[in-house]
């Protein structure tokens, strides 16, 4: 980036359903890509959501999908579907 190029805007992400797939695939990628940051995760089991957030340095977590969707500062949400979804019509 040159001195005249403005810094990129950061896209803040929230994941609804931070299960096994997000552990090694999509979750870590949010931190590795410049201009991208994972700021909140949701999982139905609150203890597992908190654990995920702590291990991946995600500042906020919840067990309520609506809370993530309504959350100020999380303009995009992702839902990583389990393997059973891949066989759905």
């Amino acid at each position: 980036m040159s001195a005249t190029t403005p810094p990129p805007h950061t896209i803040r992400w929230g994941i609804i359903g931070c299960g096994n797939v997000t552990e090694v695939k999509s979750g870590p990628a949010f931190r590795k890509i410049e201009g991208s940051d994972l700021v909140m995760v949701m999982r139905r089991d609150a203890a597992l959501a908190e654990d995920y957030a702590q291990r991946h340095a995600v500042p906020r977590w919840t067990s309520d999908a609506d809370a993530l969707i309504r959350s100020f500062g999380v303009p995009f949400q992702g839902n990583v579907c389990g393997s059973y979804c891949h066989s759905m019509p």
Side-chain angles (χ1 to χ4, degrees):
M1 181 168 22
S2 72
T4 59
T5 305
H9 294 283
T10 299
I11 298 173
R12 294 178 308 273
W13 296 92
I15 297 177
I16 296 173
C18 59
N20 293 339
V21 171
T22 67
E23 289 286 345
V24 294
K25 291 184 179 181
S26 55
F30 288 114
R31 293 261 187 231
K32 293 178 181 178
I33 298 171
E34 184 178 346
S36 178
D37 195 18
L38 181 57
V39 298
M40 189 172 187
V41 293
M42 175 272 165
R43 193 164 179 172
R44 287 180 292 182
D45 184 315
L48 292 176
E50 181 180 22
D51 176 66
Y52 184 99
Q54 289 176 351
R55 288 185 293 105
H56 293 281
V58 178
R60 298 170 60 196
W61 61 270
T62 184
S63 60
D64 178 7
D66 288 333
L68 187 147
I69 292 166
R70 290 188 312 267
S71 176
F72 176 79
V74 182
F76 301 100
Q77 293 89 32
N79 185 352
V80 179
C81 187
S83 58
Y84 68 89
C85 293
H86 301 289
S87 62
M88 297 175 76

